[in-house]
Amino acid sequence: MEPSPILRPNRNEKKVTAYSNKGVRQFWLGMGFAGPAVVLLFVFLIMPALLALYYSFTNYYLLTPQLSEFVGFENYQRLAGDTLFLKSLKNTAIFTAIVVPLQTLTALALALLVNQKLKGIKFFRVAFFAPVVTSMVIVSILWTFIYNPDTGLANSILSIVGIGPYQYLMDKDQALYSIIFMSVWQGAGYQMMIFLAGLQDIPDHQYEAASIDGANSWQKLIHITIPGIRNILVFIALVTMIAATKLFIQPFVMTQGGPLDSTKTLVYMVYETGFKFRDVGYSSALAVLFFMIVLVISVVQRKWLRDTSQ
Amino acid sequence: MKKTVWKDVLLYMVLIILACLFLFPLVWMVISSFKTESRIFMDLTSFNAFLPTDFTFANYSAVFERIPFFRYIITSTLYVSVIVVLGLFVNSLAAYAFARMTFKGRDVLFAAVVALIIIPFESILLPLYLIVDELDWLNTYQALIVPFIANAFNIFMFRQFFLNLPKELEESARMDGASTLRIFFQIVIPLSKPVFITVALLTFITHWGDFMWPLIATTDESVRPLQVGMQFFFHQPPVKYGHIMAALTMGTIPLLLIFLFFQKYYVRGIASAGMKN
């Protein structure tokens, strides 16, 4: 970045001593390298973040910015009494509370399975990983057809074993769980790969020693495998949890938040209040709250990780 | 001995059942894309749903008639590639400054950058939209690219890698009078190929899946990326199973190719993400 003309004389004055001259040169060299990234991060990340915080205290309406004024905590107070917000919060919480353990354990189980030394095991690794290769939009569209109550694959497969038919996305009590199932199906393979790398780092001699001591498979799992991948386990739980709180694409593509708002999520509401209802102030309050939730999750988990690893 | 054979049989059975569960939607998607509409419905209630009982390319040609599919692919490939290339430059340069150069305020600046990793994109969506609108960038490639070039996490990844490089080569080059920029390009980058490939790959995959931002920032078809294009197609009447399955199958190919070519780096990349803690 070119320094402004006002600053330039100062820079020349500093040239008097060799020491500060070098310091200034190093500073500008450093800024030359880091500058582009710093400027971009400032304009496209820090500034919008600060603006979100600022807007959350105003009644900024997208079409009439000139009428915007400071309203204090009004937007936040409005949140507390907004039943749609409470429902979105609840849906996001349910999704997260189920997906995190379900997906993490599924991934761990898959990793343990494909870590076996069997012929053709590579095929199964690829099979479990396959859904990851598609995008979330693609699988959401695909599963909307699979979940179709009348002409969907899910009901016709389940009817073979005499279960169903279900309404899936059409039923307010099933829609969120249908999305949960699909999300775990799509994402488990990714975490399986991370677990697999961790499992392969556990030295074989630990298992051999345990076998000599007469340990069975279950004991080996509890006393060698799980402690061996503990850090990865916590890391995956954290990443999955933060990703889960961001749930948006699946309900947007599959249900538009319905039926009866049963799949509305926090991020969905940020989007809807901002871009559909154009209520920038209220949407920003939601966005700030969402940021706080993500922040709390990471701080708590990081602290927990540090405490337990000592 | 007998016991282990039974154990293997049991393992294979579990593996096969799970593989069916993970693959059936994708197999159905691909197989159905080559069937006529009536055939898809006819086969739905039997195992034929997963077998090629019919063969037609009609669904594929219908997709190309109904939507500019190639243009979506080109738009996505183009904007994501530019993010990757510019991002590699900008983020690795910044990371090098944080890893190797000494200047006033460096550590504070780096700490600030790391702190940014925590900010979820979803919470800055609306103000970012307003900024991009202010710049008059809506419906342009700039809107899809520029906000995502600098990436705090990628800076962090690069810095970790640079810190572990042996300093001697850089120091001797400096003795020979090479400039910092030259050292970076001629010595550091060649030594850092693995991290460059990993970051490039992760960035590509992340932005290839972008949905929310392009949905908001582009309303015009000329800059509409693949993911948004497919969402529009999905809601565009008449809804034909065969057409949609053909579009989804084709939409899967680019990422599939990336995985096939860069498999090794990808696995190493996500593994290293796991090891970070």
Side-chain angles (χ1 to χ4, degrees):
Chain A
M1 250 181 19
E2 188 68 19
S4 77
I6 307 162
L7 286 173
R8 233 178 256 158
N10 272 335
R11 246 181 93 200
N12 290 334
E13 272 169 34
K14 278 195 177 175
K15 273 189 179 169
V16 178
T17 66
Y19 171 76
S20 65
N21 178 31
K22 193 176 167 234
V24 167
R25 244 201 69 218
Q26 281 186 333
F27 177 77
W28 286 111
L29 190 62
M31 285 318 283
F33 273 65
V38 170
V39 170
L40 286 168
L41 286 173
F42 183 79
V43 176
F44 296 108
L45 189 55
I46 298 175
M47 236 165 67
L50 293 176
L51 280 174
L53 186 64
Y54 168 71
Y55 291 148
S56 75
F57 295 108
T58 70
N59 61 1
Y60 187 171
Y61 181 69
L62 199 57
L63 302 179
T64 53
Q66 69 279 5
L67 297 178
S68 160
E69 50 186 37
F70 192 76
V71 294
F73 281 92
E74 210 173 85
N75 289 320
Y76 292 95
Q77 281 159 356
R78 208 174 122 198
L79 279 176
D82 184 343
T83 49
L84 183 60
F85 163 69
L86 296 174
K87 195 160 192 182
S88 305
L89 190 64
K90 192 181 134 204
N91 290 336
T92 310
I94 292 174
F95 181 82
T96 309
I98 297 178
V99 161
V100 174
L102 189 63
Q103 187 164 329
T104 309
L105 291 180
T106 305
L108 180 57
L110 291 177
L112 289 169
L113 278 170
V114 298
N115 195 34
Q116 306 286 329
K117 288 174 187 68
L118 289 174
K119 248 201 184 114
I121 202 71
K122 213 165 169 221
F123 165 78
F124 294 101
R125 281 181 202 168
V126 173
F128 302 150
F129 190 75
V132 181
V133 178
T134 60
S135 72
M136 193 46 101
V137 174
I138 290 179
V139 299
S140 297
I141 296 173
L142 178 61
W143 279 81
T144 309
F145 286 96
I146 292 175
Y147 279 145
N148 187 307
D150 306 315
T151 54
L153 204 53
N155 272 343
S156 58
I157 291 176
L158 287 180
S159 72
I160 299 169
V161 277
I163 307 174
Y166 294 106
Q167 295 298 303
Y168 306 102
L169 303 169
M170 308 281 186
D171 183 321
K172 69 173 174 56
D173 296 321
Q174 293 170 19
L176 189 60
Y177 298 94
S178 305
I179 290 179
I180 288 174
F181 182 82
M182 184 204 81
S183 304
V184 172
W185 171 85
Q186 200 268 344
Y190 177 78
Q191 281 117 341
M192 174 194 79
M193 292 301 252
I194 304 180
F195 274 132
L196 190 61
L199 290 175
Q200 289 172 345
D201 277 355
I202 300 174
D204 282 338
H205 66 79
Q206 288 193 14
Y207 290 106
E208 283 154 16
S211 298
I212 294 165
D213 293 343
N216 61 29
S217 304
W218 180 252
Q219 287 166 327
K220 282 186 218 164
L221 177 72
I222 297 296
H223 296 292
I224 301 172
T225 310
I226 301 290
I229 55 165
R230 202 193 62 94
N231 280 358
I232 297 175
L233 198 61
V234 176
F235 170 77
I236 286 181
L238 172 71
V239 171
T240 314
M241 198 166 193
I242 290 176
T245 60
K246 297 179 180 177
L247 177 64
F248 173 74
I249 293 180
Q250 297 93 310
F252 183 86
V253 174
M254 302 173 87
T255 59
Q256 291 81 52
L260 296 171
D261 299 323
S262 61
T263 55
K264 273 267 154 73
T265 62
L266 275 182
V267 172
Y268 201 112
M269 230 185 130
V270 171
Y271 167 82
E272 201 175 45
T273 39
F275 293 94
K276 220 163 123 192
F277 308 140
R278 289 155 189 200
D279 194 343
V280 179
Y282 196 46
S283 176
S284 297
L286 275 161
V288 170
L289 192 87
F290 174 69
F291 169 65
M292 298 296 218
I293 292 171
V294 171
L295 188 69
V296 167
I297 292 172
S298 7
V299 169
V300 167
Q301 293 220 359
R302 233 161 255 184
K303 194 180 169 328
W304 181 64
L305 182 67
R306 209 174 300 134
D307 289 349
T308 51
S309 60
Q310 272 163 10
Chain B
M1 201 63 222
K2 205 178 171 190
K3 202 180 151 201
T4 45
V5 172
W6 273 110
K7 200 185 137 209
D8 282 0
V9 171
L10 192 72
L11 267 174
Y12 274 119
M13 270 166 60
V14 173
L15 282 165
I16 288 167
I17 291 170
L18 283 169
C20 289
L21 183 66
F22 274 84
L23 288 178
F24 87 86
L26 300 173
V27 172
W28 181 63
M29 172 181 90
V30 176
I31 296 283
S32 299
S33 75
F34 293 109
K35 288 180 182 174
T36 59
E37 200 72 0
S38 55
R39 193 39 112 166
I40 294 174
F41 289 111
M42 229 193 308
D43 289 347
L44 210 53
T45 49
S46 69
F47 194 72
N48 282 341
F50 305 110
L51 296 176
T53 49
D54 205 357
F55 193 85
T56 168
F57 272 120
N59 294 323
Y60 286 87
S61 46
V63 171
F64 289 114
E65 274 163 34
R66 290 179 61 191
I67 51 169
F69 192 85
F70 271 131
R71 183 191 259 174
Y72 293 160
I73 295 263
I74 289 167
T75 301
S76 278
T77 311
L78 195 67
Y79 98 84
V80 177
S81 303
V82 175
I83 293 178
V84 170
V85 173
L86 294 180
L88 286 181
F89 266 101
V90 167
N91 296 317
S92 67
L93 278 171
Y96 190 68
F98 292 133
R100 283 289 202 260
M101 297 159 80
T102 41
F103 56 93
K104 206 162 172 269
R106 181 194 72 176
D107 296 335
V108 179
L109 206 56
F110 180 65
V113 168
V114 171
L116 294 179
I117 295 175
I118 196 74
I119 300 179
F121 177 70
E122 289 76 2
S123 70
I124 63 158
L125 195 66
L126 194 49
L128 184 64
Y129 172 84
L130 296 171
I131 290 172
V132 166
D133 184 24
E134 198 66 37
L135 292 166
D136 236 343
W137 281 359
L138 292 180
N139 279 320
T140 64
Y141 276 101
Q142 293 95 293
L144 295 173
I145 295 167
V146 181
F148 307 101
I149 294 172
N151 182 301
F153 182 72
N154 290 348
I155 294 176
F156 177 81
M157 290 260 284
F158 276 123
R159 181 176 172 269
Q160 291 298 94
F161 192 90
F162 294 154
L163 284 177
N164 289 328
L165 286 178
K167 266 184 184 166
E168 288 73 23
L169 276 170
E170 291 161 69
E171 273 161 7
S172 68
R174 191 174 306 281
M175 295 293 182
D176 295 342
S179 71
T180 313
L181 204 61
R182 192 165 160 176
I183 292 171
F184 180 72
F185 280 103
Q186 294 195 340
I187 296 174
V188 177
I189 291 186
L191 287 173
S192 310
K193 255 190 207 145
V195 72
F196 273 85
I197 295 175
T198 301
V199 169
L201 210 52
L202 293 179
T203 309
F204 191 96
I205 292 165
T206 305
H207 288 291
W208 184 263
D210 273 351
F211 179 69
M212 208 178 183
W213 177 252
L215 179 75
I216 294 158
T218 65
T219 47
D220 197 83
E221 196 156 59
S222 62
V223 282
R224 183 174 294 161
L226 180 67
Q227 309 296 334
V228 180
M230 283 200 296
Q231 147 78 9
F232 273 83
F233 185 50
F234 173 46
H235 289 295
Q236 175 187 317
V239 176
K240 298 268 190 211
Y241 274 48
H243 296 182
I244 306 252
M245 294 308 153
L248 296 182
T249 303
M250 286 192 286
T252 308
I253 293 169
L255 217 47
L256 186 68
L257 290 178
I258 295 272
F259 275 104
L260 288 178
F261 281 116
F262 295 100
Q263 206 188 63
K264 199 176 73 189
Y265 290 98
Y266 180 75
V267 171
R268 193 187 295 159
I270 59 174
S272 76
M275 300 306 162
K276 199 184 72 212
N277 270 301

